[in-house]
Amino acid sequence: MRTQVAIIGSGPSGLLLGRLLTLAGIDNIIIDRVDREYILGRVRAGVLEQGMVNMMREAQASEKLDAEGLPHDGFEIALNGGLHHIDLHGLTGGKRVTIYGQTEVTRDLMDKREADGVTTIYDAQHVTPREFGGKNPWISYEKDGATHRIDADFIIGCDGFHGPSRKAVPPKAIETFERVYPFGWLGLLADVPPAAEELVYGKHARGFTLCSMRSKTRSRYYLQVPLTDQVENWSDDAFWDELRRRLPEQVADAVVTGPSFEKSIAPLRSFVAEPMRFGKLFLAGDAAHIVPPTGAKGLNLAASDIRYLFDGLREHYADKSPAGLNAYSERALARIWKAERFSWWMTTMLHTFAEDDAFGRRIHDAELSYTLSSVAARTALAENYVGLPY
Ligand SMILES: Cc1cc2nc3c(=O)[nH]c(=O)nc-3n(C[C@H](O)[C@H](O)[C@H](O)COP(=O)(O)OP(=O)(O)OC[C@H]3O[C@@H](n4cnc5c(N)ncnc54)[C@H](O)[C@@H]3O)c2cc1C
């Protein structure tokens, strides 16, 4: 098989790039180790920056997002029994975020790809990028007991944190930066109306909470938990009780409980790999970087990578110019590190760290107190939350 651009990974970054390439007349194949239903069963992000919404529009895949996405002009921070409003719209000169689940983004892009009749190979095993340091890169994989090969001009690693693309890079060609946080997020998804109109981020001595949503009838809640906790030991009742305990009374009273249909514990990690280009292999999205979800940046960073990468590929094919591809890694990393900083800062300020001494706890409290009381600090928070310009 031969294509112009071979994309490993059918998550949001691979699908978005594939759709934009198809619209630009650039041949592409996507290959994934699992199938469509498995991918659509993963529950992940839900807060979209305007840049991501614009990319979905450019990909002509925004009909449902435009109809069903919930624009949010702000969010609340719960502290010491009170609520503090962060007016994103007012503080950023009219910007906002949109609530729309990553699962829906993925489904919309998959549907477009199927309608386009473009090749996606699911259930492929041992997917490996090869000879990307030379002129003729290719991918090997196994499916149905046979070994196959895809030759391409470029290989794009959109295969998430555990995928094969980053691992195929010789160790001396790549530098990684990592911080693993000493807690995780226990997330629960239920078909109940959200407790509040906007997201509520809560700081509490018992740990962080987030009241989020996917729609007006589907809520997503999170609790900070120790990494040693097992999800099997958290009944729905125990979750709802702990959630209400950590929330101010007016929010706790508004929590509508119901049976969960997804419950999982996600570890929190900050991670960046540099550079993001190795000859004819490019990394994008979670394959190159991870942020703790506190700042809602993971999916949005995948979108900004694809912005820069798609522009570079289009320039390569349409204008015969290597400039965009040559600049990709540097441009993407400049934005990634700012989002890493913001996500680390939000995480540090809003969570409880068991190893903190009394001084550390006071400093974190003072950071939050200052942020809530200063227009300048709230503006910086809002500017980062809605997303820095591409
Ligand atoms: C549990 C969880 C909760 C999250 N919550 C949030 C949130 O609330 N807010 C937020 O902004 N972000 C969140 N994120 C992050 C966000 O979901 C990711 O940033 C986003 O999915 C990145 O998209 P991606 O396409 O780069 O990678 P992924 O979505 O990870 O897609 C990678 C694709 O590569 C495929 N793949 C992996 N290995 C192979 C292989 N060997 N061969 C072939 N294909 C392979 C996978 O099957 C997958 O389809 C969360 C992530 C997780 C894991």
Side-chain angles (χ1 to χ4, degrees), residues 313-329:
L313 288 165
R314 190 175 45 188
E315 273 175 52
H316 170 86
Y317 285 109
D319 312 333
K320 309 272 176 269
S321 162
L325 288 179
N326 288 344
Y328 168 66
S329 182

Side-chain angles (χ1 to χ4, degrees), residues 168-191:
V169 175
K172 61 179 186 309
I174 193 166
E175 192 174 2
T176 59
F177 305 82
E178 185 168 35
R179 173 144 313 174
V180 177
Y181 299 86
F183 42 72
W185 277 18
L186 170 65
L188 175 147
L189 193 66
D191 275 330

Side-chain angles (χ1 to χ4, degrees), residues 8-13 31-34 39 42 44-45 102 127 158-160 163-164 222 266 285-286 293 296-299:
I8 306 177
S10 181
S13 45
I31 183 164
D32 204 292
R33 95 190 140 81
V34 293
I39 293 165
R42 292 192 287 231
R44 293 186 171 178
Q102 177 171 333
V127 178
C158 293
D159 44 5
Y222 296 97
D286 278 19
K297 290 285 161 261
L299 177 59

Side-chain angles (χ1 to χ4, degrees), residues 76-84 200-205 209 244-253 368 372:
E76 302 282 352
I77 295 184
L79 178 69
N80 299 331
L83 285 177
H84 303 263
V200 180
Y201 288 79
K203 176 155 187 163
H204 191 276
T209 51
R244 283 185 291 221
R245 212 172 281 144
R246 295 185 191 183
L247 289 171
E249 209 177 317
Q250 70 263 44
V251 185
D253 288 348
L368 181 53
L372 296 176

